[in-house]
Amino acid sequence: VIADSIELVSFAERFDGLVTVGGCDKNMPGTMMAIARLNLPAIFLYGGTIMPGRVGNKSVSIQDVFEGVGAHSKGLMTSEELLDLECGACPGAGSCGGLFTANTMSSAIEAMGMSLPGVASIPAVDPRRLEVAHQSGLMSLKTLREGIRPRDILNRKAFENAITVVLAMGGSTNAVLHLLAIAHEAEVDLSLKDFDRISQNTPYIADMKPGGQYLMADLDKIGGLSLVMKRLLDAGLLHGDALTITGESIEHTLKDINDTGDESIVH
């Protein structure tokens, strides 16, 4: 329905190009499906992740609330403790903080080259998000001038890069549904067998919630998705020659990433 709605308005208004903004489970793949289907010069802009919440001296997220509800039902947490947790878990705007569907898809879309480098991990309330929004607008004009279209980017290499990044970070299994749907609109032959094949060669290197300890805002502090992709590229696990929305390759966009060697979140 989201993809159909964007398609309808794009045709009705005779748009020359698109900047789509998404930030949750259905609207992110919905906008990407429309981008692939229409094949107008386009760029995706992520709304951004939420910051960690605080309860006492502990960092918490929506995942802790889910677990708190279970603990309360078993009598392991009082109603007052659960209320404190609920009120503290979401301190402001942004998508769920762990590697749930939104942050998984922001990572996959950046890995595919359809958003600017760094966009996937910058928190929603961070002042840098205004800058990447402005830069995304400028880049949309560049794609229009240079005739760069989504299907120039959304090929098999792009989808394999996205799958590799999702697997390496322990992302949401919803990525399987969404990437297959986007690939269908981009007319790229992708199947479950591709996910399985790539998974055989992809190490799990990011300690991210819900499977691990850290949130997207934590990853952002040490270099964001670019750090993850740089390490995968250096290990020969990404297609470095895949084109991005900037008109440059993945390898080129990552060449100046400074890897400090920090292994607290990304091994």
Coordinates of all heavy atoms in Angstrom, one line a residue, residues 107-163:
S107 N 20.5 0.0 7.8 CA 21.8 -0.5 7.5 C 21.8 -1.2 6.1 O 22.8 -1.0 5.3 CB 22.2 -1.6 8.6 OG 22.3 -1.0 9.8
A108 N 20.8 -1.9 5.8 CA 20.7 -2.6 4.5 C 20.6 -1.6 3.4 O 21.3 -1.8 2.3 CB 19.5 -3.5 4.5
I109 N 19.9 -0.6 3.5 CA 19.7 0.5 2.5 C 21.0 1.2 2.3 O 21.4 1.5 1.1 CB 18.5 1.4 2.8 CG1 17.2 0.6 2.8 CG2 18.5 2.6 1.8 CD1 16.0 1.4 3.4
E110 N 21.7 1.6 3.4 CA 23.0 2.2 3.2 C 24.0 1.3 2.5 O 24.8 1.7 1.7 CB 23.5 2.7 4.5 CG 24.8 3.4 4.4 CD 25.3 4.1 5.7 OE1 24.5 4.5 6.5 OE2 26.6 4.1 5.9
A111 N 23.9 0.0 2.9 CA 24.8 -1.0 2.3 C 24.5 -1.2 0.8 O 25.5 -1.4 0.0 CB 24.7 -2.3 3.0
M112 N 23.3 -1.0 0.4 CA 22.9 -1.1 -1.0 C 23.3 0.1 -1.8 O 23.3 0.1 -3.0 CB 21.4 -1.3 -1.1 CG 20.9 -2.7 -0.8 SD 19.2 -3.0 -1.3 CE 18.3 -2.0 -0.1
G113 N 23.7 1.2 -1.0 CA 24.1 2.4 -1.7 C 23.0 3.4 -2.0 O 23.3 4.4 -2.7
M114 N 21.8 3.2 -1.4 CA 20.7 4.1 -1.7 C 20.5 5.2 -0.7 O 19.6 6.0 -0.8 CB 19.4 3.3 -1.8 CG 19.3 2.6 -3.1 SD 19.4 3.6 -4.6 CE 18.0 4.7 -4.3
S115 N 21.4 5.4 0.3 CA 21.4 6.5 1.2 C 22.8 7.0 1.4 O 23.8 6.2 1.1 CB 20.8 6.2 2.5 OG 21.5 5.1 3.2
L116 N 23.0 8.2 1.9 CA 24.4 8.7 2.0 C 25.1 7.9 3.1 O 24.5 7.4 4.1 CB 24.3 10.2 2.4 CG 23.8 11.2 1.4 CD1 23.8 12.6 1.9 CD2 24.7 11.1 0.1
P117 N 26.4 7.8 3.0 CA 27.2 7.2 4.0 C 27.0 7.8 5.4 O 27.0 9.0 5.5 CB 28.7 7.4 3.5 CG 28.5 7.6 2.0 CD 27.3 8.3 1.8
G118 N 26.8 7.0 6.4 CA 26.7 7.4 7.7 C 25.2 7.6 8.2 O 25.0 7.7 9.4
V119 N 24.3 7.7 7.2 CA 22.9 8.0 7.6 C 22.3 7.0 8.5 O 21.5 7.3 9.4 CB 22.1 8.2 6.3 CG1 20.6 8.2 6.6 CG2 22.5 9.5 5.6
A120 N 22.7 5.7 8.3 CA 22.0 4.6 9.0 C 22.1 4.7 10.5 O 21.2 4.2 11.2 CB 22.6 3.3 8.5
S121 N 23.2 5.2 11.1 CA 23.4 5.1 12.5 C 23.3 6.4 13.3 O 23.3 6.4 14.5 CB 24.8 4.5 12.8 OG 25.8 5.2 12.1
I122 N 23.1 7.5 12.6 CA 23.0 8.8 13.3 C 21.7 8.9 14.0 O 20.6 8.8 13.4 CB 23.2 10.0 12.4 CG1 24.5 10.0 11.7 CG2 23.0 11.3 13.1 CD1 24.7 11.0 10.6
P123 N 21.7 9.2 15.4 CA 20.4 9.2 16.1 C 19.5 10.3 15.6 O 19.9 11.4 15.1 CB 20.8 9.5 17.5 CG 22.2 9.0 17.6 CD 22.8 9.2 16.3
A124 N 18.2 10.2 15.8 CA 17.2 11.1 15.3 C 17.3 12.5 15.8 O 17.1 13.5 15.1 CB 15.8 10.6 15.6
V125 N 17.8 12.6 17.1 CA 17.8 13.9 17.7 C 19.2 14.6 17.6 O 19.5 15.7 18.1 CB 17.5 13.8 19.2 CG1 16.0 13.4 19.4 CG2 18.4 12.9 20.0
D126 N 20.2 13.9 16.9 CA 21.5 14.4 16.8 C 21.5 15.5 15.7 O 20.9 15.4 14.7 CB 22.4 13.3 16.3 CG 23.9 13.6 16.3 OD1 24.3 14.6 15.7 OD2 24.7 12.9 17.0
P127 N 22.1 16.7 16.0 CA 22.2 17.8 15.1 C 22.7 17.4 13.7 O 22.4 18.0 12.7 CB 23.1 18.8 15.7 CG 23.0 18.5 17.2 CD 22.8 17.0 17.3
R128 N 23.6 16.3 13.6 CA 24.1 15.9 12.4 C 23.0 15.4 11.4 O 23.2 15.4 10.2 CB 25.1 14.8 12.6 CG 26.4 15.2 13.2 CD 27.3 14.0 13.5 NE 26.7 13.1 14.4 CZ 26.9 11.8 14.5 NH1 27.8 11.2 13.7 NH2 26.3 11.0 15.5
R129 N 21.9 15.0 12.0 CA 20.8 14.5 11.1 C 20.2 15.7 10.2 O 19.9 15.4 9.1 CB 19.7 13.9 11.9 CG 18.6 13.2 11.0 CD 18.1 12.0 11.7 NE 19.0 10.9 11.8 CZ 19.4 10.1 10.7 NH1 19.0 10.4 9.5 NH2 20.2 9.1 10.9
L130 N 20.2 16.9 10.7 CA 19.8 18.0 9.9 C 20.8 18.2 8.7 O 20.4 18.5 7.6 CB 19.7 19.3 10.7 CG 18.6 19.3 11.8 CD1 18.7 20.6 12.6 CD2 17.2 19.2 11.1
E131 N 22.0 18.0 9.0 CA 23.1 18.1 7.9 C 22.9 17.0 6.9 O 23.0 17.3 5.7 CB 24.5 18.1 8.6 CG 25.6 18.2 7.6 CD 25.6 19.5 6.7 OE1 25.0 20.5 7.2 OE2 26.1 19.5 5.6
V132 N 22.7 15.8 7.3 CA 22.6 14.7 6.3 C 21.3 14.8 5.5 O 21.2 14.4 4.4 CB 22.7 13.3 6.9 CG1 24.1 13.1 7.5 CG2 21.6 13.0 8.0
A133 N 20.3 15.4 6.2 CA 19.0 15.7 5.4 C 19.3 16.7 4.3 O 18.8 16.6 3.2 CB 17.9 16.2 6.4
H134 N 20.0 17.8 4.7 CA 20.4 18.8 3.7 C 21.2 18.2 2.6 O 21.0 18.5 1.4 CB 21.1 20.0 4.4 CG 21.5 21.1 3.5 ND1 20.6 21.9 2.9 CD2 22.7 21.5 3.0 CE1 21.2 22.8 2.1 NE2 22.5 22.6 2.2
Q135 N 22.2 17.4 3.0 CA 23.1 16.8 2.0 C 22.3 15.8 1.1 O 22.6 15.7 -0.1 CB 24.2 16.1 2.7 CG 25.2 17.0 3.3 CD 25.9 18.0 2.4 OE1 26.2 17.6 1.2 NE2 26.1 19.2 2.8
S136 N 21.3 15.1 1.6 CA 20.5 14.2 0.8 C 19.7 15.0 -0.2 O 19.6 14.5 -1.4 CB 19.6 13.4 1.7 OG 20.3 12.6 2.6
G137 N 19.2 16.2 0.2 CA 18.5 17.0 -0.8 C 19.5 17.4 -2.0 O 19.1 17.4 -3.1
L138 N 20.7 17.9 -1.6 CA 21.6 18.2 -2.6 C 22.0 17.0 -3.5 O 22.1 17.2 -4.7 CB 22.9 18.8 -2.0 CG 22.8 20.1 -1.2 CD1 24.1 20.5 -0.5 CD2 22.3 21.2 -2.1
M139 N 22.1 15.9 -2.9 CA 22.5 14.7 -3.7 C 21.4 14.3 -4.6 O 21.6 13.8 -5.7 CB 22.8 13.5 -2.7 CG 23.4 12.3 -3.4 SD 24.9 12.6 -4.3 CE 26.0 13.1 -3.0
S140 N 20.1 14.5 -4.2 CA 19.0 14.2 -5.1 C 19.1 15.0 -6.3 O 18.7 14.5 -7.4 CB 17.7 14.4 -4.3 OG 17.4 15.8 -4.2
L141 N 19.5 16.3 -6.2 CA 19.7 17.1 -7.4 C 20.8 16.6 -8.3 O 20.7 16.7 -9.5 CB 19.9 18.6 -7.0 CG 18.8 19.2 -6.2 CD1 19.2 20.7 -5.8 CD2 17.5 19.2 -7.1
K142 N 21.9 16.1 -7.7 CA 23.0 15.6 -8.4 C 22.6 14.3 -9.2 O 22.9 14.2 -10.4 CB 24.2 15.2 -7.5 CG 25.4 14.6 -8.2 CD 26.5 14.2 -7.2 CE 27.6 13.5 -8.0 NZ 28.7 13.1 -7.1
T143 N 21.8 13.5 -8.6 CA 21.3 12.3 -9.3 C 20.5 12.6 -10.5 O 20.5 12.0 -11.5 CB 20.6 11.3 -8.3 OG1 19.4 12.0 -7.8 CG2 21.4 10.9 -7.2
L144 N 19.7 13.7 -10.3 CA 18.8 14.2 -11.4 C 19.6 14.7 -12.5 O 19.4 14.4 -13.7 CB 17.9 15.2 -10.8 CG 16.8 15.7 -11.8 CD1 15.8 14.6 -12.2 CD2 16.0 16.9 -11.1
R145 N 20.6 15.5 -12.2 CA 21.5 16.1 -13.2 C 22.3 15.1 -14.0 O 22.4 15.1 -15.2 CB 22.5 17.1 -12.6 CG 21.9 18.5 -12.2 CD 23.0 19.5 -11.9 NE 23.9 19.0 -10.9 CZ 23.8 19.2 -9.6 NH1 22.8 19.9 -9.1 NH2 24.7 18.8 -8.7
E146 N 22.8 14.1 -13.2 CA 23.7 13.1 -13.8 C 22.9 11.9 -14.3 O 23.6 11.0 -14.9 CB 24.8 12.7 -12.8 CG 25.7 13.8 -12.4 CD 26.8 13.4 -11.5 OE1 26.9 12.2 -11.2 OE2 27.5 14.3 -11.0
G147 N 21.6 11.8 -14.1 CA 20.8 10.7 -14.6 C 21.1 9.4 -13.9 O 20.9 8.3 -14.5
I148 N 21.5 9.4 -12.6 CA 21.7 8.2 -11.9 C 20.3 7.7 -11.4 O 19.6 8.4 -10.6 CB 22.6 8.5 -10.6 CG1 24.0 9.0 -11.1 CG2 22.8 7.2 -9.8 CD1 24.9 9.4 -10.0
R149 N 20.0 6.5 -11.8 CA 18.7 6.0 -11.4 C 18.8 4.8 -10.5 O 19.9 4.1 -10.5 CB 17.9 5.6 -12.7 CG 17.5 6.8 -13.5 CD 16.7 6.4 -14.7 NE 16.4 7.6 -15.5 CZ 15.2 8.2 -15.4 NH1 14.3 7.8 -14.5 NH2 15.0 9.3 -16.1
P150 N 17.8 4.5 -9.7 CA 17.9 3.4 -8.7 C 18.4 2.1 -9.2 O 19.1 1.4 -8.6 CB 16.5 3.4 -8.1 CG 16.0 4.8 -8.2 CD 16.5 5.3 -9.5
R151 N 17.9 1.7 -10.4 CA 18.3 0.4 -10.9 C 19.7 0.4 -11.4 O 20.2 -0.7 -11.7 CB 17.3 0.0 -12.0 CG 15.9 -0.3 -11.4 CD 15.0 -1.0 -12.4 NE 13.6 -0.9 -12.0 CZ 12.6 -1.4 -12.7 NH1 12.9 -2.1 -13.8 NH2 11.4 -1.3 -12.3
D152 N 20.3 1.5 -11.5 CA 21.8 1.5 -11.8 C 22.5 1.1 -10.5 O 23.7 0.6 -10.6 CB 22.3 3.0 -12.1 CG 21.7 3.5 -13.4 OD1 21.3 2.7 -14.3 OD2 21.5 4.8 -13.5
I153 N 21.9 1.2 -9.4 CA 22.5 0.9 -8.1 C 22.0 -0.4 -7.6 O 22.7 -1.3 -7.1 CB 22.2 2.0 -7.1 CG1 22.8 3.3 -7.6 CG2 22.7 1.6 -5.7 CD1 22.4 4.5 -6.8
L154 N 20.7 -0.7 -7.7 CA 20.0 -1.8 -7.1 C 20.2 -3.1 -8.0 O 19.2 -3.5 -8.6 CB 18.6 -1.5 -6.8 CG 18.3 -0.4 -5.8 CD1 16.8 -0.1 -5.7 CD2 18.8 -0.9 -4.4
N155 N 21.4 -3.6 -8.1 CA 21.6 -4.8 -8.8 C 22.0 -5.9 -7.8 O 21.9 -5.8 -6.6 CB 22.8 -4.6 -9.8 CG 24.0 -4.0 -9.2 OD1 24.3 -4.2 -8.0 ND2 24.8 -3.2 -9.9
R156 N 22.4 -7.1 -8.4 CA 22.7 -8.2 -7.5 C 23.8 -7.9 -6.5 O 23.7 -8.3 -5.3 CB 23.1 -9.4 -8.4 CG 23.6 -10.6 -7.6 CD 23.6 -11.9 -8.3 NE 22.2 -12.5 -8.3 CZ 21.7 -13.2 -7.4 NH1 22.4 -13.4 -6.3 NH2 20.5 -13.7 -7.4
K157 N 24.8 -7.2 -6.9 CA 25.9 -6.9 -6.0 C 25.4 -6.0 -4.8 O 25.8 -6.3 -3.7 CB 27.0 -6.1 -6.7 CG 27.8 -7.0 -7.7 CD 28.9 -6.1 -8.3 CE 29.8 -7.0 -9.2 NZ 30.9 -6.2 -9.9
A158 N 24.5 -5.1 -5.1 CA 24.0 -4.3 -4.0 C 23.2 -5.1 -3.0 O 23.3 -4.9 -1.8 CB 23.1 -3.2 -4.6
F159 N 22.4 -6.0 -3.5 CA 21.6 -6.8 -2.6 C 22.5 -7.8 -1.8 O 22.2 -8.1 -0.6 CB 20.5 -7.6 -3.4 CG 19.3 -6.7 -3.7 CD1 19.2 -6.1 -5.0 CD2 18.3 -6.5 -2.8 CE1 18.1 -5.3 -5.3 CE2 17.2 -5.7 -3.1 CZ 17.1 -5.1 -4.3
E160 N 23.5 -8.3 -2.4 CA 24.4 -9.2 -1.7 C 25.2 -8.5 -0.6 O 25.4 -9.0 0.4 CB 25.4 -9.9 -2.7 CG 24.7 -10.9 -3.6 CD 25.6 -11.8 -4.4 OE1 26.8 -11.5 -4.4 OE2 25.2 -12.8 -5.0
N161 N 25.5 -7.2 -0.9 CA 26.2 -6.4 0.1 C 25.2 -6.2 1.3 O 25.6 -6.2 2.5 CB 26.6 -5.0 -0.5 CG 27.9 -5.1 -1.3 OD1 28.6 -6.1 -1.2 ND2 28.1 -4.1 -2.0
A162 N 23.9 -5.9 1.0 CA 23.0 -5.6 2.0 C 22.8 -6.9 2.9 O 22.7 -6.8 4.1 CB 21.6 -5.2 1.4
I163 N 22.7 -8.0 2.3 CA 22.5 -9.3 3.0 C 23.7 -9.5 3.9 O 23.6 -9.9 5.1 CB 22.3 -10.5 2.0 CG1 21.0 -10.3 1.3 CG2 22.3 -11.8 2.8 CD1 20.8 -11.3 0.1

